[in-house]
Amino acid sequence: MNNILCIGEALIDMICTDRGSQLSDGNNFVKKPGGAPTNVAAAIGALGGNAWLAAMVGVDPFGDHLIDIMKGFNVQTKFMLQSKTSFTTFAFVSLLHSGERDFYFNRGADGQLSTNDVDDINMNDFTIAHFGSATAFLPGLLQAAYKHTLLQAKASNSFISFDPNYRHLLFQHDIPSFLNQSWDYLHNCHFFKVSDEEALMLTDTTTVADAAKVFIQKTTAIFAITIGKEGTLLGHNGNTTIIESIEINAVDTTGAGDAFVGAVLFQLSKLAVETIKNLPENEWQKIIKNANIAGARTCEYVGAMEAFKQIDKNIFN
């Protein structure tokens, strides 16, 4: 099993359990480990893969908690660093009766991961590098460290994976920046996963089929567009195929996309990098089918990381 590096934010989600209350009125909150690349690393670890997480947390109980959680998933934490000058990042979220989210992002240590910090990472040790963090596109040191690691991954001939993880509440006032940075990674990766909403936004189209055509024209990557209960559109060397998912009774969709990506990368990590880059379409279809199952099963449980442990590893045999 080859090593996979995930880089980006590790943070604490504070979920208001007083349904319909604004954050200012909420009294009860549940602490959950979060961050898209953190979730992906946990999913890989839960499946038995060799995941490493590069992220910055604070020297505080919440940073300690995130490191302990990752260790519990057998994720390597050598590159989970603790800032002495900044606190662990928090995201406070409350679901209003209107369906909208009241959101407050209290950014701390995640944005402090610097180029100097990631210079200690030898990308020759990693077959796969996954970039899955919307906060890395926010201004700050992490943005430069993220790009530096991308260039190092390319120089080391790693297989590069990308998930833009668009968060409207973070980028609603600077969408062009998010789009421009995303396209830089779309042009440089070997595989990317986007939701149907992200696909339409990134390509300025109105249908998933048209979005797929744009991705085929403008990128050389294998790509997956997740389309909910219908499954996933796989794009491979100019061809597109819909890979069906399974029927479930969804309880909580949090982390389903990260479970999907983790399942894809876990399966790829069994192969040499040149083999991965030349996998035929029928092999990719099997990989996406299994990832659909992993993502769907995650929705049957409350809480992303708790759900990862429930994924049946036998689907990958």
Side-chain angles (χ1 to χ4, degrees):
M1 200 76 68
N2 294 307
N3 291 331
I4 303 169
L5 177 72
C6 301
I7 180 171
E9 87 268 8
L11 52 81
I12 296 292
D13 286 319
M14 295 296 289
I15 311 299
C16 182
T17 57
D18 301 321
R19 297 297 293 268
S21 295
Q22 293 184 332
L23 288 175
S24 58
D25 298 324
N27 293 308
N28 300 289
F29 291 83
V30 175
K31 175 180 90 239
K32 296 287 185 182
T38 302
N39 283 339
V40 170
I44 294 167
L47 293 171
N50 296 331
W52 298 60
L53 179 62
M56 182 76 78
V57 297
V59 181
D60 52 42
F62 303 103
D64 294 341
H65 174 67
L66 286 165
I67 292 173
D68 288 342
I69 287 289
M70 288 297 99
K71 288 180 178 178
F73 279 93
N74 295 316
V75 173
Q76 299 297 317
T77 60
K78 177 181 179 180
F79 304 120
M80 281 189 76
L81 307 180
Q82 291 185 277
S83 170
K84 296 180 180 178
T85 60
S86 192
F87 53 85
T88 299
T89 297
F90 283 83
F92 294 84
V93 183
S94 180
L95 183 64
L96 305 179
H97 289 309
S98 64
E100 297 296 318
R101 290 177 183 268
D102 192 14
F103 176 85
Y104 184 75
F105 188 56
N106 198 10
R107 195 178 197 195
D110 85 285
Q112 301 304 310
L113 188 72
S114 70
T115 299
N116 287 338
D117 294 325
V118 297
D119 262 342
D120 291 334
I121 301 173
N122 183 353
M123 288 307 304
N124 291 316
D125 294 336
F126 298 93
T127 296
I128 298 172
H130 175 64
F131 299 83
S133 172
T135 70
F137 291 163
L138 295 171
L141 295 174
L142 176 59
Q143 188 181 89
Y146 204 65
K147 184 60 178 290
H148 177 76
T149 306
L150 173 67
L151 297 177
Q152 294 298 105
K154 288 185 65 178
S156 300
N157 197 37
S158 301
F159 181 86
I160 298 170
S161 166
F162 174 60
D163 184 346
N165 292 118
Y166 176 71
R167 298 292 181 264
H168 182 68
L169 295 165
L170 295 181
F171 289 95
Q172 57 186 316
H173 301 301
D174 198 3
I175 293 176
S177 175
F178 174 84
L179 295 177
N180 290 335
Q181 291 185 79
S182 291
W183 273 104
D184 187 22
Y185 286 79
L186 292 172
H187 288 312
N188 283 286
C189 68
H190 301 100
F191 168 76
F192 65 86
K193 171 263 175 191
V194 292
S195 68
D196 47 0
E197 294 91 348
E198 290 169 336
L200 302 185
M201 174 186 293
L202 287 163
T203 59
D204 193 24
T205 56
T206 57
T207 69
V208 169
D210 286 341
K213 290 178 183 178
V214 174
F215 289 141
I216 289 170
Q217 292 169 357
K218 292 189 175 182
T219 77
T220 59
I222 310 300
F223 62 87
I225 304 176
T226 54
I227 48 180
K229 64 182 181 180
E230 296 178 32
T232 301
L233 184 149
L234 169 67
H236 182 281
N237 292 343
N239 299 319
T240 59
T241 308
I242 300 294
I243 311 298
E244 294 183 352
S245 189
I246 58 173
E247 291 188 10
I248 59 163
N249 292 317
V251 175
D252 181 7
T253 61
T254 303
D258 297 327
F260 176 94
V261 173
V264 169
L265 300 184
F266 166 71
Q267 293 172 87
L268 294 178
S269 70
K270 299 177 182 180
L271 308 171
V273 66
E274 289 306 320
T275 302
I276 299 172
K277 292 179 180 179
N278 293 286
L279 272 183
E281 183 176 350
N282 66 314
E283 291 299 320
W284 270 102
Q285 290 181 7
K286 294 176 185 177
I287 288 171
I288 298 300
K289 180 180 179 181
N290 291 337
N292 279 346
I293 296 172
R297 292 299 183 205
T298 299
C299 298
E300 295 180 320
Y301 301 87
V302 176
M305 291 199 186
E306 293 89 343
F308 297 158
K309 295 178 180 179
Q310 309 302 323
I311 299 172
D312 184 1
K313 300 183 182 70
N314 291 325
I315 65 175
F316 303 105
N317 295 331

